[in-house]
Amino acid sequence: MGEESELAIAAVRRYAVALRHIQSRLFDAYPDVSGIKDLMTAVRHKRTLPRAGTSSTGVEYAIHGAGCQMTDEVGRVVDVDLVGDVEAFDAWRIRWFLDEQSDAEPSVEELRTACSHLASTGELLEVQAGSWYALPDRRGKGH
């Protein structure tokens, strides 16, 4: 693999680590919420949580269209959509996350290739071929 590929893989892994950490902190604050689908249900149907807010663990969230944007206490922003019942992300969401950082910035195409590579090794799940990916342990209900 070339240097650009390695940078893109490292960038996807940084996003995955941030996503896992931020989601964990968000869901720790809401015992009845085990995933984005539950959070969206609490906001839209049960109306027990506001559309946007800050958890007791310091994570800000904002429900949008098909998903949720989450920001931790140091300003890292991650975003996922529900694709089917799976909490998924694409290369554009990773690119947006990287824009918040000051590191080397792989292209969207390099990030997409890195995601496909990581899916082939089992580090990510490929939800929709070549476009949507997920963390292996974040299937729908937040198992």
Side-chain angles (χ1 to χ4, degrees):
M1 281 194 176
E3 186 177 339
E4 284 98 20
S5 296
E6 292 297 330
L7 286 172
I9 289 169
V12 172
R13 285 178 173 149
R14 279 196 315 274
Y15 175 87
V17 166
L19 177 58
R20 186 171 279 116
H21 174 75
I22 292 168
Q23 281 186 320
S24 174
R25 296 209 30 180
L26 177 62
F27 302 143
D28 283 351
Y30 303 110
D32 295 337
V33 173
S34 63
I36 296 301
K37 185 176 180 179
D38 288 348
L39 183 64
M40 292 173 81
T41 298
V43 168
R44 293 183 175 155
H45 302 293
K46 295 179 181 176
R47 299 187 189 275
T48 55
L49 290 173
R51 182 171 294 279
T54 303
S55 71
S56 62
T57 55
V59 175
E60 294 176 27
Y61 70 89
I63 297 296
H64 61 73
C68 183
Q69 177 180 302
M70 297 157 278
T71 307
D72 70 8
E73 64 280 354
V74 296
R76 293 184 304 171
V77 179
V78 293
D79 190 279
V80 295
D81 274 4
L82 283 182
V83 177
D85 279 343
V86 178
E87 298 170 15
F89 52 88
D90 59 6
W92 287 102
R93 282 168 175 73
I94 298 168
R95 179 77 211 119
W96 189 46
F97 169 79
L98 295 174
D99 284 344
E100 304 292 320
Q101 314 295 312
S102 59
D103 301 322
E105 300 177 356
S107 70
V108 170
E109 190 54 44
E110 290 168 333
L111 293 169
R112 190 175 292 121
T113 300
C115 286
S116 290
H117 171 75
L118 292 172
S120 74
T121 67
E123 282 189 62
L124 296 179
L125 297 174
E126 192 168 37
V127 178
Q128 283 184 356
S131 60
W132 290 99
Y133 301 88
L135 300 178
D137 60 346
R138 297 295 326 159
R139 295 174 183 248
K141 295 182 181 178
H143 302 237

